[in-house]
Amino acid sequence: MPTDLTYELLQRWEAITEVIPMIDYPEEAIELEDWLNVYNTFASNRFDAEDASKEITKRGGE
């Protein structure tokens, strides 16, 4: 069962994909609670998502 932290991370991930659509967000896998597929998608997007997250955070502080 996913935790509140999991859902917070998923919300952040989804927000990042709205700004940077080249990052995949596995909406269907999340709805189906296919956590292995979610993890694999995250792993393949990890570095792009981290860079985008840092950029979004930096912009919010300006």
Side-chain angles (χ1 to χ4, degrees), residues 10-48:
L10 291 173
Q11 287 176 336
R12 177 107 176 145
W13 186 0
E14 186 175 26
I16 289 169
T17 62
E18 290 174 7
V19 176
I20 303 173
M22 66 186 258
I23 296 174
D24 296 325
Y25 181 75
E27 187 171 350
E28 184 177 342
I30 292 167
E31 289 173 6
L32 296 172
E33 296 187 1
D34 180 357
W35 302 117
L36 181 58
N37 190 358
V38 172
Y39 172 78
N40 288 335
T41 303
F42 174 76
S44 69
N45 287 286
R46 179 177 165 208
F47 296 111
D48 290 336

